[in-house]
């Protein structure tokens, strides 16, 4: 497993950004991929996840209705469309993967390097 992230950057409140992640080390279709974020001085929190079995998704309450996670062209790729961004969404966003299929933010053990998202008011 090797997760490569792209996207991120700076945007004003109400704007949109898309994050992409590709697992270039695993081409199978098991497990789940997710996005987590970490604000300065805080712990890492799950934002959105998608699993390959029946494509279940799960979102944090704080992003429900604003963020959408989807698979890319292949199941080892995932995109996070972020709309109606708020200053509170400012964080480093990490792509993550686990080979288990439970749609839970627990158990992710492979991580990308992180990408900064900054939302200004």
């Amino acid at each position: 497993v090797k997760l490569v992230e792209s996207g991120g950057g700076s945007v004003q409140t109400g704007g949109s950004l898309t994050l992409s992640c590709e697992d270039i080390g695993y081409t199978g279709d098991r497990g789940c991929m997710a996005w987590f974020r970490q604000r300065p001085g805080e712990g890492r929190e799950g934002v959105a996840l998608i699993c390959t079995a029946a494509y279940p998704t799960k979102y944090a309450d704080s992003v429900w209705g604003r963020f959408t996670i989807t698979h890319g062209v292949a199941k080892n790729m995932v995109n996070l469309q972020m709309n109606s961004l708020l200053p509170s969404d400012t964080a480093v966003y990490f792509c993550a993967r686990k080979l288990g299929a439970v749609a839970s933010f627990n158990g992710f053990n492979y991580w990308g390097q992180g990408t900064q998202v900054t939302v200004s008011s």
Side-chain angles (χ1 to χ4, degrees), residues 2-121:
K2 181 175 176 60
L3 302 173
V4 179
E5 300 146 337
S6 60
S10 298
V11 66
Q12 292 188 324
T13 297
S16 298
L17 286 172
T18 301
L19 305 180
S20 296
C21 177
E22 181 180 5
D23 182 355
I24 63 174
Y26 178 72
T27 57
D29 61 357
R30 292 192 297 137
C32 306
M33 296 183 73
W35 287 96
F36 287 71
R37 68 185 180 188
Q38 187 166 17
R39 301 186 183 95
E42 299 184 11
R44 199 169 292 186
E45 65 167 340
V47 174
L49 66 83
I50 185 167
C51 300
T52 56
Y55 308 122
T57 58
K58 184 179 178 71
Y59 296 92
D61 290 343
S62 58
V63 306
W64 183 265
R66 299 188 297 120
F67 290 12
T68 303
I69 189 168
T70 56
H71 280 301
V73 175
K75 291 180 182 177
N76 64 329
M77 302 172 67
V78 64
N79 300 313
L80 184 68
Q81 177 65 42
M82 305 184 293
N83 297 327
S84 302
L85 283 161
L86 303 169
S88 57
D89 295 317
T90 296
V92 178
Y93 284 70
F94 296 89
C95 180
R97 185 175 185 81
K98 64 177 178 180
L99 298 184
V102 176
S104 160
F105 287 117
N106 297 321
F108 284 87
N109 51 356
Y110 298 99
W111 299 89
Q113 77 282 1
T115 185
Q116 178 70 45
V117 171
T118 302
V119 185
S120 58
S121 57

